[in-house]
Each structure stands twice: as structure tokens, then as C-alpha cells.
């Protein structure tokens, strides 16, 4: 193959290599700008990713839903339509195996276990990773535990998630009405 | 070779003064060797260039992994693209200017890690939950074409390592089949085949002859989704296929250390046969085995590869005489069939096969005056005896005598070979 052809193919490949991160950014930015923010009560723990560093995994309180479907099995995709409760936190309106056509405010998750006789399904939400500076991730976990233990007023730990047409972007984690990044520095 | 050249160049003035050659010829010779040295790819430079790029690339990824909270999102995003753009410019420059292998290998390796770091940083900024396996897959997919564009050995190896990592992440402990592993591996094979055709003696072909079978051995488990029962059967088939691949005419005449297929295939086959020489594994597995369609496909593919490989090596096999290792692929299914009706017959069969393999290997070692091979044969026999130590009711005196005999065998065989070697 001629050098010119190789170079042209390389230009094409370079554009794809640039397009992938650009696409990642633009889809997330669109959700952050035009999505609806929801608050999800949560509790963080801190694991590590070898390439992307320290993050806290968020265990959400919102993880079960009533359903008449008894055929749910582990790792099935599940779509959760959301609404807010009297305190402003996200709660499940209904669940489905397919996307909701009549609403933008739904998120995707995977079934943890389901199809039980009590008519509930347990699920994991997709947006359960919040990356933090390596020195802060462990402190964040400790801070969240202490916040719950001390029963402080306004001690809710929750994640702020923007949602648009089933896409969700985790924007911040709040402890005692403060961003977790600032809270651990306190 | 290089020291020979420099020796010749040093002697040129003497040759000129003794009027063996003219001054003009001496200058031409000096010029020829100077040009040859410039053109020959400096392997050491390539290795250092690639190592440097790997270290810089990994360093960037580690710095990215710190997750700089104090930086604004826009600055972080910019940092996601800077290494990527630098890598692309360096690769583009080395293609268009037809730079040396050092340039291509180093810039390609740097770009490989820049792609990974770019995606990692954006995942952090937007807390993208995508699991680790999908991250690895996107990374490799974006970099596989670079292998062919740059004709880069280092990128071939990196892509193989990362796609194996992906297969393990995606396949183990889940119900998913890492099919992309197969697709990308097939995509990488033409480059490997062209390397074998062009320069079979090269170090890269030697390195790949270890890495490729290792990758297959590690990732096979990621494709098994049912209970464990079919796993040992498939592994035995895989090891014997790998041994057959190592016996292909263009690979078999390499030194053992440059033929990982042969070494890994042989050791793996022996280990699996030793496992099947116990009654319990047959009892546990052959009754409960219920292979899924995917496992049957894997078994069939292994058979097919073995059959084609056997056919390609047929002339060599005929010339070299009987080698039982080559027939395990055909023999083992027969033993399995026997095992479905009489487990004890199958167990005795496996023990006989192992015993014969040990004897054949010792004989081969003696014939080739190869201490390593003959001792490997003795090791097979002693392993077989050690295994029988645990599950037979023969008396301790008899077991002790067997051990003494095999120990004496080690001494005698090595002594005889040493004696023959000295005589020779």
C-alpha cells in the first residue's frame, strides 16, 4: 500500500479516535444542560479502577419496585420511571422491560434478583460510580458513615443525577447539603 | 556480525599499505559498511523507544487516575485530548515521512496509551458508569488498525494483552461470551502469519509463540458458562491442539525456547492427563456432563484446527516416526466414550497413555542427546507414580521401591547420556 493511502486511512482512524471521546462528552453535556435533576438517597463505598483511579460506589436506597411480572431474572435490563416524593427524593413510579414512550424521566438498570412471590423486583442503577481524588475517596466513605451514625439534622446523603430520555449523568454527591468533595476537606 | 565488520574496517589501512586493495576500494568498503549500519534497524533503539513510550503512556494514565478535583472541567477535558493529539501527530509524522521502525513503534505505543487515557479522563469527568470490560474493548477497537498501518510488533503484543484482559473481565463470573476477543484475535492473525512468512526466525515470532497460546489458555475459561464439568475436557483438547500447532513444519524447527506452543501444549496435556488418571474426576464429571451448544462449538472448532494442523504437518510426522503426543486429540475422545460405560477401563487407558508418553519422551531425549527432554520424560513417569501414590492400595514397601527405581532411573539415564556425549 502506498504511503499516501496509509496516511489517509490513518487520518480516518484518528478522526474516529477523536470522535469517541467527543461523543462521550457531548451526550453527557446534553443531559446535564437539558435533563431533569433527581436526588437519589445513597451510601458510598470506595473501590479502585486500575486505569481510571479511585471512585466511590453508590449503593442507592432506591433499589426495589413493585411488579406483577414474575419472570424477571438476574441481569435483565429494567427501565424505571421516576417521580419525586414529598421530601424531593426520587421514587419509583413504575418499571418496565422496555423504554417508556410517554415520559423522559426514566432510567435504565439491571435486575439484581426478581420474580419473587412478594411481587417485587430488585435492581441496580447504572450511575453508581462517582470518581474522586485518590486521597479523598476513603475519607468520603468514612464521612458518609459518620454522617449517618451521628444522626445529624439534614444528614441525608444523596446523589444528584440529571436525567433525559433515559440517559443519566451523575453530577454530584451531597452530604449534609454540601458537595462530598468539599465535605471531606472540611 | 557488527564486530566482524568493525574488525574488517580496522584492517583496511593495513590491506591498503600492503597493496592488497587500492585506496578507492578501501573507501568504498568503509562507505558500504557505514551505510549498512545506518540502514539496519537498531533493535535496541526500538526496544528502548517502546519501553519509553509504555512508561510515559502508563505514567499519564496514572496521573489521570489521581482525579484532580481542583481542576476545572474544561481544563480536565483539554488534558484528555492533549496526549491523544500529540500521539496522532507523532504517528502521522512517522507515516508521512516514512520514519524508521523506532519512530513507528514508539509513536504507535504512545498513541495506544493516549487513547486509553483520553477515555479514562472523560469517564472520570462525567462519572460514566460503563464497566471496565467495555472500556477495554473500545480502547482496543480504536487501536487495532494501528498494527497494520504502522506494521508495529509492539502494538500487536499490546492489543493481544489488552484483548485477553477484556475477555477475562467480560467472561469470567458472568453469563456473557467475550466474542469480541475472537473477532479481534482473528483480525490480528494475518499480521502474525505475514511475520512468520517473512522472518520466521525473528524474536517477535518467538515471543508470540508463547503469548498467543498463553492468551488462549487463560481465556478459554471465560467462554464456559455452564458447570465446571466440561472444563477439563475442553482444556485437554486445547492443550493438544496447541501442541499440534507447535509441531507445524515452520514452527517445529525452532529452538524449544522459541516454540511456546510445543512446551505449553506438552506440559498442559500431561497435567490434564494426570488429572484424568484419577478415578474421581471421571466419576464427578462424565455422569453430570451436559455441555451447552457453545461448548460443543468450542470443542468442534478445536477438532477442526487440529485436523487441519495435522494434515499440514503430515509429511513431517511421517518422516519423524511415531509421537503419541500428536494423537492425543484423537485418542482422548475414544477414552471418553469408553469412560461412559466403564470408568475403570478409561482410567487404566489414561495411565497407560501417560506411561507411554513418558517412555517416548525419554527415548526422544536420549536419541537427540537432549538432557532437558529426557529428564522431562522421567518427570512424567515420576508424576504418574506420585499420583498413584495417593489412590492405590499397594503397600508402602512397593511404593518405596518404585520411588527408588525412578530415582535410580534419573541417575542412570543422565549418566548414560553424559557418557555418550563425551564419547561423541
Amino acid at each position: 500500500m502506498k504511503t499516501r493511502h496509509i496516511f489517509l486511512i490513518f487520518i480516518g482512524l484518528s478522526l474516529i479516535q477523536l470522535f469517541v471521546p467527543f461523543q462521550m462528552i457531548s451526550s453527557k453535556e446534553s443531559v446535564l444542560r437539558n435533563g431533569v435533576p433527581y436526588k437519589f438517597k445513597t451510601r458510598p463505598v470506595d473501590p479502585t479502577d486500575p486505569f481510571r483511579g479511585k471512585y466511590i460506589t453508590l449503593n442507592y436506597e432506591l433499589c426495589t419496585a413493585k411488579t406483577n411480572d414474575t419472570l424477571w431474572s438476574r441481569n435483565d435490563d429494567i427501565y424505571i420511571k421516576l417521580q419525586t416524593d414529598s421530601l424531593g427524593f426520587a421514587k419509583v413510579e413504575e418499571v418496565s422491560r422496555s423504554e417508556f414512550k410517554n415520559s423522559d424521566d426514566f432510567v435504565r438498570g439491571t435486575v439484581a434478583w426478581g420474580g419473587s412471590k412478594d411481587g417485587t423486583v430488585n435492581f441496580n442503577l447504572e450511575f453508581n460510580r462517582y470518581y474522586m481524588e485518590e486521597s479523598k475517596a476513603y475519607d468520603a466513605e468514612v464521612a458518609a458513615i459518620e454522617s449517618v451514625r451521628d444522626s445529624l439534622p439534614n444528614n441525608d446523603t444523596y446523589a444528584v443525577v440529571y436525567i433525559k430520555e433515559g440517559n443519566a449523568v451523575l453530577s454530584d454527591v451531597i452530604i449534609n447539603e454540601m458537595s462530598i468533595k468539599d465535605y471531606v476537606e472540611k | 556480525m557488527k564486530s566482524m565488520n568493525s574488525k574488517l574496517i580496522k584492517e583496511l589501512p593495513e590491506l591498503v599499505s600492503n597493496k592488497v586493495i587500492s585506496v578507492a576500494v578501501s573507501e568504498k568498503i568503509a562507505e558500504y559498511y557505514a551505510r549498512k549500519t545506518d540502514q539496519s534497524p537498531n533493535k535496541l533503539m526500538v526496544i528502548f523507544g517502546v519501553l519509553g513510550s509504555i512508561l510515559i503512556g502508563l505514567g499519564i494514565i496514572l496521573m489521570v487516575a489521581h482525579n484532580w478535583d481542583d481542576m476545572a472541567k474544561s481544563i480536565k477535558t483539554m488534558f484528555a485530548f492533549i496526549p491523544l493529539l500529540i500521539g496522532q501527530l507523532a504517528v502521522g509524522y512517522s507515516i508521512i515521512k516514512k520514519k524508521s521502525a523506532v519512530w513507528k513503534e514508539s509513536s504507535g505505543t504512545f498513541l495506544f496509551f493516549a487513547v486509553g487515557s483520553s477515555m479514562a479522563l472523560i469517564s472520570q469527568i462525567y462519572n460514566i458508569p460503563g464497566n471496565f470490560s467495555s472500556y477495554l474493548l473500545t480502547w482496543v477497537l480504536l487501536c487495532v488498525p494501528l498494527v497494520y498501518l504502522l506494521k508495529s510488533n509492539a502494538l500487536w503484543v499490546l492489543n493481544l494483552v489488552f484483548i485477553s484482559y477484556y475477555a477475562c473481565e467480560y467472561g469470567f463470573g458472568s453469563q456473557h461470551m467475550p466474542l469480541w476477543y475472537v473477532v479481534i484475535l482473528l483480525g490480528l492473525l494475518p499480521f502474525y502469519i505475514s511475520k512468520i512468512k517473512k522472518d520466521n526466525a525473528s524474536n517477535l515470532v518467538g515471543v508470540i509463540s508463547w503469548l498467543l497460546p498463553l492468551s488462549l489458555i487463560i481465556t478459554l475459561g471465560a467462554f464456559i458458562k455452564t458447570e465446571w464439568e466440561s472444563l477439563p475436557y475442553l482444556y485437554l483438547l486445547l492443550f493438544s491442539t496447541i501442541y499440534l500447532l507447535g509441531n507445524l513444519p515452520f514452527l517445529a524447527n525452532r529452538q524449544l525456547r522459541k516454540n511456546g506452543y510445543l512446551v505449553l501444549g506438552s506440559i498442559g496435556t500431561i497435567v490434564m492427563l494426570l488429572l484424568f488418571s484419577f478415578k474421581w474426576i471421571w466419576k464427578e464429571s462424565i455422569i453430570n456432563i451436559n455441555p451447552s451448544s457453545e461448548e460443543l462449538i468450542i470443542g468442534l472448532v478445536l477438532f477442526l484446527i487440529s485436523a487441519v494442523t495435522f494434515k499440514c504437518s503430515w509429511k513431517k510426522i511421517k518422516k519423524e516416526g511415531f509421537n503419541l503426543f500428536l494423537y492425543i486429540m484423537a485418542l482422548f475422545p475414544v477414552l471418553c466414550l469408553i469412560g461412559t460405560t466403564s470408568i475403570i477401563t478409561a482410567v487404566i487407558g489414561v495411565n497407560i497413555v501417560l506411561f507411554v508418553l513418558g517412555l517416548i519422551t525419554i527415548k526422544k531425549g536420549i536419541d537427540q542427546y537432549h538432557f532437558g527432554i529426557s529428564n522431562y520424560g522421567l518427570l512424567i513417569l515420576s508424576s504418574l507414580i506420585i499420583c498413584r501414590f495417593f489412590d492405590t492400595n499397594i503397600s508402602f514397601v512397593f511404593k518405596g521401591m518404585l520411588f527408588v527405581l525412578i530415582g535410580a532411573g534419573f541417575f542412570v539415564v543422565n549418566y548414560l547420556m553424559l557418557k555418550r556425549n563425551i564419547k561423541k
Side-chain angles (χ1 to χ4, degrees):
Chain A
M1 210 187 290
K2 281 182 181 172
T3 308
R4 207 168 132 247
H5 294 147
I6 294 175
F7 188 70
L8 283 175
I9 296 170
F10 172 68
I11 295 289
L13 179 67
S14 299
L15 290 176
I16 297 169
Q17 285 176 344
L18 288 168
F19 171 77
V20 171
F22 263 123
Q23 205 271 338
M24 287 162 86
I25 294 171
S26 69
S27 66
K28 301 298 161 190
E29 278 296 333
S30 152
V31 177
L32 283 176
R33 285 204 190 112
N34 310 316
V36 180
Y38 274 90
K39 294 193 284 188
F40 289 77
K41 279 190 184 176
T42 184
R43 215 184 125 186
V45 281
D46 84 314
T48 308
D49 181 312
F51 293 96
R52 291 173 286 191
K54 284 264 184 190
Y55 60 89
I56 50 175
T57 297
L58 304 171
N59 294 330
Y60 292 107
E61 280 184 25
L62 187 126
C63 60
T64 54
K66 293 266 177 212
T67 175
N68 296 325
D69 188 343
T70 52
L71 300 173
W72 290 107
S73 54
R74 197 173 147 73
N75 291 328
D76 278 354
D77 282 343
I78 181 168
Y79 293 88
I80 305 123
K81 194 171 171 186
L82 298 167
Q83 60 183 37
T84 46
D85 63 10
S86 57
L87 296 168
F89 290 104
K91 70 171 191 177
V92 181
E93 190 179 329
E94 58 175 312
V95 291
S96 161
R97 286 182 180 271
S98 55
E99 293 188 7
F100 293 93
K101 301 285 177 217
N102 55 350
S103 170
D104 281 353
D105 294 0
F106 65 91
V107 288
R108 205 176 70 173
T110 47
V111 173
W113 70 88
S116 60
K117 284 174 189 162
D118 64 349
T120 59
V121 59
N122 274 65
F123 53 83
N124 297 316
L125 293 168
E126 272 190 330
F127 41 88
N128 60 352
R129 272 188 183 198
Y130 185 71
Y131 289 95
M132 293 202 69
E133 199 167 292
E134 59 180 332
S135 56
K136 291 181 185 170
Y138 178 68
D139 293 346
E141 184 192 350
V142 173
I145 292 166
E146 281 175 357
S147 158
V148 174
R149 194 188 57 202
D150 296 346
S151 298
L152 300 168
N154 303 322
N155 72 345
D156 285 323
T157 303
Y158 61 86
V160 180
V161 182
Y162 285 77
I163 291 160
K164 184 192 161 197
E165 295 164 6
N167 291 312
V169 178
L170 170 59
S171 163
D172 206 350
V173 176
I174 308 291
I175 301 181
N176 291 345
E177 298 307 320
M178 194 186 280
S179 169
I180 196 166
K181 288 175 182 170
D182 301 326
Y183 189 86
V184 290
E185 280 178 355
K186 209 172 60 167
Chain B
M1 189 73 189
K2 233 175 195 177
S3 62
M4 252 175 79
N5 296 346
S6 56
K7 208 174 172 185
L8 187 70
I9 289 166
K10 271 182 198 166
E11 285 185 4
L12 283 177
E14 196 186 322
L15 293 171
V16 173
S17 61
N18 289 325
K19 291 184 180 167
V20 178
I21 55 171
S22 67
V23 179
V25 171
S26 146
E27 278 171 2
K28 268 188 182 171
I29 292 172
E31 196 185 323
Y32 169 75
Y33 280 114
R35 202 171 54 232
K36 204 176 167 188
T37 314
D38 280 350
Q39 280 172 352
S40 67
N42 192 332
K43 281 180 188 166
L44 208 61
M45 280 294 287
V46 173
I47 291 167
F48 283 136
V50 169
L51 280 178
S53 297
I54 289 175
L55 288 173
I56 293 170
L58 284 174
I60 290 172
I61 285 177
L62 284 176
M63 279 192 276
V64 163
H66 175 74
N67 296 344
W68 304 85
D69 273 352
D70 299 330
M71 269 189 211
K73 205 195 308 184
S74 55
I75 298 175
K76 275 196 199 177
T77 311
M78 206 174 71
F79 273 111
F81 285 97
I82 288 176
L84 184 59
L85 286 169
I86 293 173
Q88 288 179 340
L89 284 174
V91 170
Y93 178 73
S94 46
I95 290 173
I96 206 95
K97 292 282 174 190
K98 293 181 184 171
K99 298 297 270 183
S100 63
V102 184
W103 257 88
K104 286 184 177 170
E105 295 279 358
S106 311
S107 59
T109 307
F110 180 79
L111 180 56
F112 180 87
F113 285 103
V115 169
S117 76
S118 162
M119 287 195 305
L121 196 49
I122 291 160
S123 299
Q124 280 170 23
I125 299 168
Y126 292 97
N127 297 303
I128 295 173
N131 53 32
F132 192 52
S133 55
S134 63
Y135 165 73
L136 286 170
L137 178 64
T138 318
W139 185 354
V140 173
L141 280 173
L142 287 174
C143 293
V144 162
L146 286 173
V147 173
Y148 290 93
L149 293 177
L150 295 171
K151 295 188 175 75
S152 165
N153 302 338
L155 280 172
W156 198 98
V157 172
L158 280 172
N159 277 300
L160 178 72
V161 171
F162 275 74
I163 200 62
S164 310
Y165 195 174
Y166 154 78
C168 296
E169 272 288 323
Y170 191 67
F172 283 115
S174 79
Q175 286 304 309
H176 303 302
M177 291 284 252
L179 292 176
W180 273 107
Y181 169 80
V182 181
V183 174
I184 293 173
L185 197 64
L186 289 174
L188 288 170
L189 279 183
F191 183 80
Y192 176 43
I193 292 166
S194 76
K195 278 275 160 191
I196 291 175
K197 279 183 185 164
K198 270 186 205 161
D199 190 7
N200 187 23
S202 72
N203 285 329
L204 177 81
V205 177
V207 170
I208 295 175
S209 82
W210 285 92
L211 288 182
L212 192 56
L214 265 178
S215 169
L216 293 172
I217 293 163
I218 292 167
T219 53
L220 178 69
F223 288 87
I224 311 299
K225 299 296 163 205
T226 52
E227 299 301 313
W228 66 273
E229 282 88 3
S230 54
L231 203 61
Y233 296 88
L234 285 176
Y235 261 109
L236 185 59
L237 295 185
L238 177 68
F239 281 122
S240 42
T241 309
I242 289 173
Y243 185 85
L244 279 165
L245 284 171
N247 207 52
L248 278 167
F250 51 86
L251 287 171
N253 48 19
R254 302 165 65 89
Q255 291 163 292
L256 265 184
R257 69 181 169 85
K258 284 188 176 180
N259 193 348
Y261 296 101
L262 217 55
V263 178
L264 292 171
S266 166
I267 293 173
T269 306
I270 293 297
V271 171
M272 293 316 294
L273 282 175
L274 282 170
L275 193 68
F276 278 105
S277 73
F278 286 94
K279 220 185 322 181
W280 65 265
I281 188 143
W282 291 90
K283 274 185 179 169
E284 297 275 326
S285 63
I286 201 110
I287 300 162
N288 301 323
I289 197 163
N290 183 21
S292 66
S293 53
E294 289 92 348
E295 287 156 13
L296 286 174
I297 290 170
I298 295 170
L300 277 175
V301 169
L302 289 174
F303 266 112
L304 202 70
I305 297 171
S306 300
V308 174
T309 315
F310 197 84
K311 172 90 181 46
C312 293
S313 325
W314 180 238
K315 269 187 191 169
K316 181 177 167 290
I317 293 168
K318 259 203 318 195
K319 208 171 114 189
E320 286 179 357
F322 184 70
N323 177 4
L324 188 59
F325 271 105
L326 298 169
Y327 300 92
I328 297 294
M329 193 71 176
L331 201 59
F332 187 66
V334 176
L335 287 168
C336 287
L337 269 178
I338 296 169
T340 53
T341 50
S342 164
I343 287 177
I344 194 73
T345 318
V347 171
I348 291 170
V350 172
N351 278 278
I352 292 169
V353 169
L354 271 168
F355 187 70
V356 176
L357 283 175
L359 289 182
I360 286 175
T361 313
I362 296 170
K363 187 181 174 297
K364 195 177 169 188
I366 293 171
D367 289 347
Q368 293 180 6
Y369 301 105
H370 198 300
F371 282 87
I373 296 176
S374 57
N375 282 310
Y376 175 53
L378 283 163
L379 198 69
I380 295 171
L381 286 185
S382 28
S383 305
L384 182 63
I385 289 166
I386 289 168
C387 286
R388 293 296 67 78
F389 195 88
F390 295 111
D391 68 345
T392 48
N393 292 324
I394 42 179
S395 75
F396 285 105
V397 178
F398 190 70
K399 281 175 186 172
M401 276 164 68
L402 268 177
F403 272 75
V404 171
L405 274 175
I406 202 83
F410 267 104
F411 281 121
V412 172
V413 170
N414 282 296
Y415 174 72
L416 288 176
M417 278 179 60
L418 200 68
K419 220 172 150 185
R420 276 175 73 174
N421 247 1
I422 292 167
K423 265 188 191 171
K424 235 183 149 192

